[in-house]
Amino acid sequence: MANYSEPSSSLSFTSPSHVSNGSNGYNISSSSIPETRTNLEIISLNKLSSHLEKLLIQTDSNSNSDFNSSYSDAVIVVEGNHVCIHRCILAARSKFFCNLFNESKDSVEEDGKSKYIMSEILPFGNVGYDAFLVFLNYLYTGKMKSSPPEVSTCIHGECPHDACRPAIAFAVELMYASVIFQVPELVSLFQRRLLNFIEKAFVEDVIPILLVAFHCELTHILTQCIHRVARSDLDDITLEKSLPPEATRDVKSLRNTLPESAAREPKSEEDALREKRIRQIHKALDSDDVELVKLLLTESNITLDDAHGLHYAVSYCDPKVVKEVIDLDQADVNRRNARGYTVLHVAAMRKEPSIIVCLLSKQVSVFETTRDGQNALGICKQLTRPKDYNTKTEHGQETNKDRLCIEVLEREMIRNTMGKDVIVSSSDMTEDLHMKLLHLENRVAFARLLFPSEAKLAMEIANAQTTSAYPGLLATKGSNGNLREMDLNETPSIQKQRLISRMEALLKTVETGRRFFPHCSEVLDKFMLDDLPDLYFLEKGTPEEQVIKRSRFVELKEDVQRAFTKDKAELPSILTHSIKNRARKYS
C-alpha cells in the first residue's frame, strides 16, 4: 500500500547561521526547482487571466468608462447591445476572427472603430448576447465561466434545471459559437454537455440539439438525437415542420426498423385517403385560407377534431388565423391530440399571449394536465428564463410575452377558484389544488387584516380558525405557511384529504362573507382578480415597485372600509342583532 504523507514545501526557510554561499536565508534544493517554476507559471497565468478579465468587464456594453472607449478597437453588435472588443486578442485566439478582421468588407466604421453585426457574420444559427459574453470571457481568460442562472434556468420552482429548455438553449448557443468561431476545445466541452441533455430532456427540447448537431456536422450528437426522436411519439407533421428533410428521413427510416413498427398493420386505402384529406386541411391552414378549410370540412367526412386542426393552427398559424379557426366553433377546445396535449398545452409551448387569451375566452380548461402532470402554467414556466420574466417594463413598452403568458394563466387559475364548487378529480396532489387553496387562504387572510372581527365570526362559523395571513409570502420564508409541507408520517392521500377539508372550510368562510357583507366581498373579489398577482409579495421588486404596491394596498384598505360601512348601513337591524348574538356565542 502506498504511504501518503503531508507534502513538504519546496522552499525551506533556515536561520542565518545555516546559510552559506550568500543564500540570504533561503536554502533551495535543486530537486524543487522544476516544481517551483511550475508554481510560478501557474501564478503568472492566473494573474494574466484575471487582468484580461478586468479588461473584458470594462469593455462590457453597460460600461461608460474612458478606458473602454480608448483601448478597444472594434464593436460587435449582438441583439442590439454594443460589445467592445480587442481584435488582437480575438484574432490570436480564433481563426474565424483572424480571417474576419482581415476582410474590411464586413465592417462599418463607427466613431473610428470597426463595427460588426453578429447576425451578419454568422453563417447559420444564433449566438445571443449573454452566450457571447461567456464565450468572450473564455477567449480573454482561458477560463470557462459557469452559465448565468438568469439565462440558463427556468422559473419553474420544482425544476432541477438539468435539462429544461433555457438550459438547453443556452448550451446550444455556446456550441454554435464554439463551432463557428473555431475554438475546438470548447466544441468538445459542449458536445459532452449536450449529450447529457438528450435522454433527460423532453423530446420537444431535443429538437434544438438535433439542429445544432446537423448544421455543425456533429455526427455523434446527431446520431443520438435521431435515435431519441425515433423512439418518441413525435408525429410526422412535427418532424417535417421542425427538422431538415435529411434528418426527418433518417428518423422515419430508423422507426421502420424498430420492433414496434413490425406490429403495425399496413395502411389501408381508406386510411391513406383520410390522411390525404387531413393534409389538405393542414395545407389550407398553412395558406391562412380559413374559407378553404370550411369548404374542405363540408366536402369530406373529416372534422376539425379528426384533423386536430386547432392543435395544428395553434402550433403553426398566425394568431389572427388561429382566432378565425376557433371562432368557427367546429372543434372541441379541450380535445387532446395523440400525445395527450390539449390545445392550451400547445399554446403554452408556443408562448403567444393572444392565442392563450383567445382560448381562455372559449372556456378552455386551464387545469388540464399532460401525461407527465404539467398544466399550461407549468409548461410556460419551464420555458421561461428569469431574465425575461423579471425584466422591468417601462411605461409605453410592451410586456415580455413570456411573462404575459404566465400572468394570464395565473389569473385564470385564480378566477376559477371564485365559484362555489371546487372539483378535485386527480388522484395525485396536482398544481390546481395548491393554486386554489393558496388563493382562498390569501383571500381570507386579507379579510382578517381589513375587518378582523367580522372575518373572525365568518371563520368560526366555517370552522376555519387557523388561516395564516399571507401564506404565499410565508411559504417563501420556510414557515408553516407552506401549503406543500407534509408530515413524514402523513401519506399523500391523507395530505390530500386534509387540504380538501381545509378548502371546504375556506369556501364556507368566503360564502358567509358574501352573504352578510356583499359590498366588502365585491371589493375583495376585484382585488383578488386584478391586483393580487402583483401584490403576493409586497417586499419583492425594485424600491419604486414596492412603493406602488404598498400605495395600492392602502387604497384597497380604504375601499374595503367604505364598503363595510355601506354593508352595515344596509343590513336590517334584526340581522345586525343576530350577527352580534352569534359573535358573543363564538367569542
Coordinates of all heavy atoms in Angstrom, one line a residue, residues 444 453-466 502 504-517 575 578-587:
V444 N -59.0 35.0 2.5 CA -59.5 35.1 3.9 C -58.5 35.8 4.8 O -58.9 36.6 5.7 CB -59.7 33.6 4.5 CG1 -60.0 33.7 6.0 CG2 -60.8 32.9 3.7
S453 N -62.9 41.5 13.1 CA -64.0 41.0 14.0 C -65.0 40.2 13.1 O -65.4 39.1 13.4 CB -64.7 42.1 14.7 OG -63.8 42.8 15.6
E454 N -65.3 40.8 12.0 CA -66.3 40.2 11.1 C -65.7 38.9 10.4 O -66.4 37.9 10.3 CB -66.8 41.2 10.0 CG -67.6 42.3 10.6 CD -66.8 43.3 11.4 OE1 -65.5 43.3 11.2 OE2 -67.4 44.1 12.2
A455 N -64.5 39.0 10.1 CA -63.8 37.8 9.5 C -63.7 36.7 10.5 O -63.9 35.5 10.1 CB -62.4 38.2 8.9
K456 N -63.4 37.0 11.7 CA -63.3 36.0 12.7 C -64.6 35.3 12.9 O -64.7 34.1 13.0 CB -62.9 36.7 14.1 CG -62.8 35.7 15.2 CD -62.4 36.4 16.5 CE -62.3 35.3 17.7 NZ -62.0 36.0 18.9
L457 N -65.7 36.0 12.9 CA -67.0 35.4 13.0 C -67.3 34.5 11.9 O -67.7 33.3 12.1 CB -68.1 36.5 13.0 CG -69.6 36.1 13.0 CD1 -69.9 35.2 14.2 CD2 -70.5 37.2 12.9
A458 N -67.0 34.9 10.6 CA -67.3 34.0 9.5 C -66.4 32.8 9.5 O -66.8 31.7 9.2 CB -67.0 34.8 8.2
M459 N -65.2 32.9 10.0 CA -64.2 31.8 10.0 C -64.7 30.8 11.1 O -64.6 29.6 10.9 CB -62.8 32.3 10.4 CG -62.2 33.1 9.2 SD -60.7 34.0 9.7 CE -59.7 32.6 10.4
E460 N -65.2 31.3 12.2 CA -65.6 30.4 13.3 C -66.8 29.6 12.8 O -67.0 28.4 13.2 CB -65.9 31.2 14.6 CG -64.6 31.7 15.2 CD -64.8 32.5 16.5 OE1 -66.0 32.9 16.7 OE2 -63.9 32.7 17.2
I461 N -67.7 30.3 12.1 CA -68.9 29.6 11.6 C -68.5 28.4 10.7 O -69.1 27.4 10.7 CB -69.9 30.6 10.9 CG1 -70.4 31.6 11.9 CG2 -71.0 29.8 10.2 CD1 -71.2 32.7 11.3
A462 N -67.4 28.7 9.9 CA -67.0 27.7 8.9 C -65.9 26.8 9.4 O -65.4 26.0 8.7 CB -66.4 28.5 7.7
N463 N -65.6 27.0 10.7 CA -64.5 26.1 11.3 C -63.2 26.2 10.6 O -62.5 25.3 10.3 CB -65.0 24.6 11.4 CG -64.1 23.8 12.3 OD1 -63.5 24.3 13.2 ND2 -63.9 22.5 12.0
A464 N -62.8 27.5 10.4 CA -61.5 27.8 9.7 C -60.7 28.8 10.5 O -60.1 29.7 9.9 CB -61.8 28.3 8.3
Q465 N -60.5 28.5 11.7 CA -59.9 29.5 12.6 C -58.4 29.6 12.4 O -57.8 30.6 12.8 CB -60.1 29.0 14.1 CG -61.5 29.0 14.6 CD -62.1 27.6 14.4 OE1 -61.7 26.8 13.5 NE2 -63.0 27.2 15.3
T466 N -57.7 28.7 11.7 CA -56.3 28.7 11.7 C -55.7 29.3 10.4 O -54.5 29.1 10.1 CB -55.7 27.3 11.8 OG1 -56.3 26.5 10.8 CG2 -56.1 26.7 13.2
R502 N -59.7 21.5 4.3 CA -59.3 22.9 4.6 C -60.0 23.8 3.5 O -60.5 24.9 3.9 CB -57.8 23.1 4.5 CG -57.3 24.5 4.7 CD -57.5 24.9 6.1 NE -57.0 26.3 6.3 CZ -57.4 27.1 7.2 NH1 -58.4 26.7 8.0 NH2 -56.9 28.3 7.3
E504 N -62.7 23.3 1.9 CA -64.2 23.4 2.1 C -64.5 24.4 3.2 O -65.4 25.2 3.1 CB -64.7 22.0 2.4 CG -64.7 21.0 1.3 CD -65.0 19.6 1.7 OE1 -65.1 19.4 2.9 OE2 -65.2 18.7 0.8
A505 N -63.6 24.4 4.2 CA -63.9 25.4 5.3 C -63.7 26.8 4.8 O -64.4 27.7 5.2 CB -62.9 25.1 6.5
L506 N -62.6 27.0 4.0 CA -62.4 28.3 3.5 C -63.5 28.8 2.5 O -63.9 30.0 2.5 CB -61.0 28.4 2.8 CG -59.8 28.2 3.7 CD1 -58.5 28.0 2.9 CD2 -59.6 29.4 4.6
L507 N -64.0 27.9 1.7 CA -65.0 28.2 0.8 C -66.3 28.7 1.6 O -67.0 29.6 1.2 CB -65.4 27.0 -0.1 CG -64.5 26.8 -1.3 CD1 -64.7 25.5 -1.9 CD2 -64.6 27.9 -2.3
K508 N -66.5 27.9 2.7 CA -67.7 28.3 3.5 C -67.5 29.7 4.1 O -68.4 30.5 4.2 CB -67.9 27.3 4.6 CG -69.2 27.5 5.4 CD -69.4 26.3 6.4 CE -70.7 26.5 7.2 NZ -70.9 25.4 8.1
T509 N -66.2 30.0 4.5 CA -65.9 31.3 5.1 C -66.2 32.4 4.0 O -66.8 33.4 4.3 CB -64.5 31.4 5.5 OG1 -64.2 30.4 6.4 CG2 -64.1 32.7 6.1
V510 N -65.8 32.2 2.8 CA -66.0 33.2 1.7 C -67.4 33.4 1.5 O -67.9 34.5 1.3 CB -65.2 32.7 0.5 CG1 -65.6 33.6 -0.7 CG2 -63.7 32.8 0.7
E511 N -68.2 32.3 1.4 CA -69.6 32.4 1.1 C -70.4 33.1 2.3 O -71.3 33.8 2.0 CB -70.2 31.0 0.9 CG -69.7 30.4 -0.4 CD -69.9 31.3 -1.6 OE1 -71.0 31.9 -1.8 OE2 -69.0 31.5 -2.4
T512 N -69.9 32.9 3.5 CA -70.5 33.6 4.6 C -70.3 35.1 4.5 O -71.2 35.9 4.7 CB -70.0 33.1 5.9 OG1 -70.2 31.7 6.1 CG2 -70.6 33.8 7.1
G513 N -69.1 35.5 4.1 CA -68.8 36.9 3.9 C -69.6 37.5 2.8 O -70.1 38.6 2.9
R514 N -69.8 36.7 1.7 CA -70.6 37.2 0.6 C -72.0 37.4 1.0 O -72.7 38.3 0.5 CB -70.5 36.2 -0.6 CG -69.2 36.3 -1.3 CD -69.3 35.7 -2.7 NE -68.1 35.8 -3.5 CZ -67.3 34.8 -3.7 NH1 -67.6 33.6 -3.3 NH2 -66.2 34.9 -4.4
R515 N -72.5 36.6 1.9 CA -73.9 36.7 2.2 C -74.2 37.9 3.1 O -75.2 38.6 2.9 CB -74.3 35.4 3.0 CG -75.8 35.4 3.5 CD -76.1 34.1 4.2 NE -77.4 34.2 4.8 CZ -78.0 33.2 5.5 NH1 -77.2 32.1 5.8 NH2 -79.2 33.3 6.0
F516 N -73.3 38.1 4.1 CA -73.6 39.2 5.0 C -72.9 40.5 4.7 O -73.3 41.6 5.2 CB -73.2 38.7 6.4 CG -74.1 37.6 6.9 CD1 -73.6 36.3 7.1 CD2 -75.4 37.8 7.2 CE1 -74.4 35.3 7.6 CE2 -76.2 36.8 7.7 CZ -75.7 35.5 7.8
F517 N -71.8 40.4 3.9 CA -71.0 41.6 3.6 C -70.8 41.7 2.1 O -69.6 41.6 1.7 CB -69.7 41.7 4.4 CG -69.9 41.5 5.9 CD1 -69.6 40.3 6.5 CD2 -70.4 42.5 6.7 CE1 -69.7 40.1 7.8 CE2 -70.5 42.3 8.0 CZ -70.2 41.1 8.6
L575 N -81.1 41.6 11.5 CA -79.9 40.8 11.1 C -78.7 41.2 11.8 O -77.9 40.4 12.2 CB -79.7 40.9 9.5 CG -78.6 40.1 8.9 CD1 -78.8 38.6 9.2 CD2 -78.6 40.3 7.4
S578 N -78.8 39.7 15.1 CA -78.5 38.2 15.0 C -77.0 38.0 14.9 O -76.5 37.1 15.6 CB -79.2 37.6 13.8 OG -78.8 36.3 13.6
I579 N -76.3 38.8 14.1 CA -74.9 38.6 14.0 C -74.1 38.9 15.3 O -73.2 38.2 15.7 CB -74.3 39.5 12.8 CG1 -74.9 39.1 11.5 CG2 -72.8 39.5 12.8 CD1 -74.5 40.0 10.3
K580 N -74.6 39.9 16.0 CA -73.9 40.2 17.3 C -74.1 39.1 18.3 O -73.2 38.8 19.0 CB -74.5 41.5 17.8 CG -74.0 42.8 17.1 CD -74.6 44.0 17.7 CE -74.1 45.3 16.9 NZ -74.7 46.5 17.5
N581 N -75.3 38.6 18.3 CA -75.6 37.4 19.2 C -74.7 36.2 18.9 O -74.1 35.6 19.8 CB -77.1 37.0 19.2 CG -78.0 38.0 19.9 OD1 -77.5 38.8 20.7 ND2 -79.3 38.0 19.5
R582 N -74.5 36.0 17.6 CA -73.7 34.8 17.2 C -72.2 35.1 17.5 O -71.5 34.3 17.9 CB -73.8 34.6 15.7 CG -73.1 33.3 15.2 CD -73.4 33.0 13.8 NE -74.8 32.7 13.6 CZ -75.3 32.3 12.4 NH1 -74.6 32.2 11.4 NH2 -76.6 32.0 12.3
A583 N -71.8 36.4 17.4 CA -70.5 36.8 17.7 C -70.2 36.5 19.2 O -69.1 36.0 19.6 CB -70.2 38.2 17.4
R584 N -71.2 36.9 20.1 CA -71.0 36.6 21.5 C -70.8 35.1 21.8 O -70.1 34.7 22.6 CB -72.2 37.2 22.3 CG -72.3 38.7 22.3 CD -73.3 39.2 23.3 NE -73.6 40.6 23.0 CZ -74.7 41.0 22.4 NH1 -75.6 40.0 22.0 NH2 -75.0 42.2 22.2
K585 N -71.6 34.3 21.1 CA -71.6 32.9 21.3 C -70.2 32.3 21.0 O -69.8 31.4 21.7 CB -72.7 32.2 20.4 CG -72.7 30.7 20.5 CD -73.8 30.1 19.6 CE -73.7 28.6 19.6 NZ -74.8 28.0 18.7
Y586 N -69.6 32.9 19.9 CA -68.3 32.3 19.5 C -67.1 33.0 20.1 O -66.0 32.6 19.9 CB -68.2 32.3 18.0 CG -69.0 31.3 17.3 CD1 -70.3 31.7 16.8 CD2 -68.6 30.0 17.1 CE1 -71.1 30.7 16.1 CE2 -69.4 29.1 16.5 CZ -70.6 29.5 16.0 OH -71.4 28.5 15.3
S587 N -67.3 34.0 20.9 CA -66.2 34.8 21.5 C -65.7 34.1 22.7 O -66.4 33.3 23.3 CB -66.6 36.2 21.8 OG -67.7 36.2 22.7

